[in-house]
Amino acid sequence: MNAFYEWLYENYAKPRLSGSQLSSVYRAQSQEWQAAAEKLPRRDRLLSYDLMETAKDDWGALAFACGVQAGLALTAGLKE
């Protein structure tokens, strides 16, 4: 992925995707997952946290970059 998109996601989109701005369904599922993870052995719990954060960062950055690309494609033919 383009390094600029990763930087843009990390510095612009990701801070705005805090828990309070996400849907109530997502927050409920996240709390449910965290409660289940607390019952795991320490190593498995840490691994599950790492996997979830990695997936969230990777998919979030990819979705953001796709949105930027789609926006650029839609506006490419527009004249000011």
Side-chain angles (χ1 to χ4, degrees), residues 17-38:
L17 295 175
S18 65
S20 63
Q21 295 180 349
L22 298 172
S23 73
S24 60
V25 173
Y26 176 84
R27 288 194 310 267
Q29 288 175 339
S30 179
Q31 290 171 348
E32 183 179 335
W33 167 75
Q34 288 178 357
E38 289 299 319

Side-chain angles (χ1 to χ4, degrees), residues 1-15 61 64:
M1 181 183 306
N2 185 311
F4 173 70
Y5 295 143
E6 289 183 40
W7 176 89
L8 193 57
Y9 173 74
E10 288 292 326
N11 294 282
Y12 178 75
K14 189 175 178 181
F64 182 73

Side-chain angles (χ1 to χ4, degrees), residues 27-76:
R27 288 194 310 267
Q29 288 175 339
S30 179
Q31 290 171 348
E32 183 179 335
W33 167 75
Q34 288 178 357
E38 289 299 319
K39 298 174 186 172
L40 295 173
R42 183 178 186 277
R43 183 182 184 286
D44 293 340
R45 184 175 60 248
L46 293 175
L47 178 61
S48 71
Y49 288 149
D50 287 345
L51 289 171
M52 289 302 293
E53 287 300 315
T54 299
K56 187 169 50 173
D57 288 346
D58 288 349
W59 284 101
L62 181 60
F64 182 73
C66 289
V68 169
Q69 287 292 330
L72 290 172
L74 289 172
T75 60

